[in-house]
Amino acid sequence: MTKAERTRRYIIEKAAPIINRKGMAGTSISDIMEATQLAKGGVYGNFESKEEICAEALDYLLRKVSAAIEAKLATKHSYGDKLFALLDYYKGSLKIPGFSGCPLLNFGTEADDTNPLIKQKVSKAIAYSQQRIASMISAGIAAGEFAKELDAGLFALKAFAMIEGALWMSHVQGNNRQLRIVTDLLKKEIMAHSL
């Protein structure tokens, strides 16, 4: 990795949590300069615009969340256990140091009508998140863990929407009550379709 690549990565690692917390519009270059201890030229010498920093910050946050989820899933062998581990990851996300809400919600809400690039990245991440759930359901059905009437795509859509809504409510209200309720409901549904 070159020095320029290391500097870019450093800027993104420092800027991403700030942008996730304050929003793209609410984060100034001064915020990024303060976090990185770089001058304006040091930041703009590595990025063409704040929009480029925001786009790479979103990619960084999504990779970080995905890696944490995959690490949880890798410790489980059955598809039911993997789904429970995924739900437990989300239920515990409010306890993660520096958690400022789901990047998909934070970036997606702000970019919905204003930033086509970010909107497209969020859209792809939503599709990937739902597909991860649907794939586990489908594989579980094929392995004989779940009943065939469990609709993988429908469950994935419902689970994702419920989790994201509960993440938002829990973050705003400062407790994980909603997340506990939603993950428990989804676990009950999984168990009801388990063979």
Side-chain angles (χ1 to χ4, degrees), residues 20 23-24 58 102-115 118-119 122-123 126 164 168:
N20 194 42
M24 294 181 288
L58 174 59
C102 176
L104 291 177
L105 278 170
N106 293 345
F107 281 76
T109 301
E110 189 173 357
D112 185 32
D113 294 318
T114 61
N115 191 317
I118 298 291
K119 183 177 179 178
V122 170
S123 180
I126 289 169
E164 287 296 316
W168 175 75

Side-chain angles (χ1 to χ4, degrees), residues 125-179:
I126 289 169
Y128 175 80
S129 298
Q130 289 180 11
Q131 186 56 47
R132 176 194 279 139
I133 297 168
S135 294
M136 285 189 278
I137 295 288
S138 295
I141 291 170
E145 287 185 39
F146 305 129
K148 290 182 180 177
E149 68 265 8
L150 180 57
D151 184 318
L154 182 61
F155 180 85
L157 171 64
K158 177 173 53 176
F160 181 79
M162 289 172 68
I163 290 166
E164 287 296 316
L167 275 169
W168 175 75
M169 289 186 293
S170 292
H171 183 66
V172 168
Q173 293 183 336
N175 65 65
N176 73 347
R177 179 178 176 273
Q178 293 83 0
L179 272 170

Side-chain angles (χ1 to χ4, degrees), residues 10-11 13-40 43-44 50 53:
Y10 173 76
I11 292 168
E13 287 173 354
K14 294 294 187 182
I18 297 166
I19 297 167
N20 194 42
R21 186 179 72 249
K22 295 180 81 173
M24 294 181 288
T27 301
S28 67
I29 289 300
S30 298
D31 293 327
I32 296 169
M33 290 166 48
E34 183 179 327
T36 60
Q37 297 297 300
L38 294 172
K40 194 173 194 175
V43 174
Y44 280 125
K50 188 175 92 169
I53 296 170

